[in-house]
Each structure stands twice: as structure tokens, then as C-alpha cells.
Amino acid sequence: MSEVFCLDCDRKIKLPENAQEGDSITCTNCDAEFEIVSINPPKIEWMYDEYDDSDDSDDWDDDDDYDDDDDYEYDEEYDEDDRR
């Protein structure tokens, strides 16, 4: 029986004996879905494009240059005693 490693959690996924290229398979550990792209050697790829982070993996952290000092205006009329 062939095995591959999950592209998300790195756990082993056992391919079914009757697996064919183009079949889908789900990781039992993290529920990520993959397509079998090769049987010999066994290889899988992400089933959906949204999982592909090969070239955009660092785009989520786009606030490195955020400077909140310029965006905050202090309200001089505000008095902490008013909150009590």
C-alpha cells in the first residue's frame, strides 16, 4: 500500500489499493482534501486553489509598516473621571 504525507499537517495518508490518478483523498487528521496526481511514485496536490500558498504565503502579514501614532488623535475633552 502506498503512502503520502499530508501537505497541511505532515501526517501519513494511506492511499487505497484501488487509487487512481485524479481521485480525491482526505487527510483523516486535519480534513484537508487532495487530488492524487501520481500513483508511482505516489504524489498528491491540493484539491482546491485556495489551499495553494506556494507564492503568497507572506501576504497575510501586510501591516508591518503600520504606524498608529499618526492615526490617533487625543480628545482633550475626555476625562477618565467621566468614565467612573
Side-chain angles (χ1 to χ4, degrees):
M1 185 180 317
S2 297
E3 296 178 332
V4 292
F5 288 94
C6 177
L7 302 176
D8 192 32
C9 70
D10 292 324
R11 292 275 181 106
K12 284 185 183 179
I13 302 174
K14 294 181 180 179
L15 299 180
E17 292 292 331
N18 61 348
Q20 298 179 0
E21 291 180 12
D23 287 353
S24 63
I25 191 165
T26 303
C27 176
T28 57
N29 184 58
C30 69
D31 293 327
E33 296 181 40
F34 304 100
E35 177 183 358
I36 301 170
V37 294
S38 175
I39 298 297
N40 192 11
K43 183 178 177 186
I44 58 173
E45 289 184 0
W46 291 103
M47 178 67 79
Y48 304 106
D49 289 337
E50 63 202 43
Y51 289 114
D52 182 13
D53 65 351
S54 59
D55 60 347
D56 296 329
S57 61
D58 62 344
D59 287 348
W60 65 270
D61 190 17
D62 59 0
D63 63 345
D64 290 340
D65 297 328
Y66 181 73
D67 183 11
D68 62 349
D69 291 340
D70 297 336
D71 297 334
Y72 180 74
E73 293 182 25
Y74 180 73
D75 186 2
E76 293 178 12
E77 295 179 13
Y78 180 79
D79 186 2
E80 283 203 34
D81 292 336
D82 292 341
R83 289 196 312 173
R84 295 182 191 172

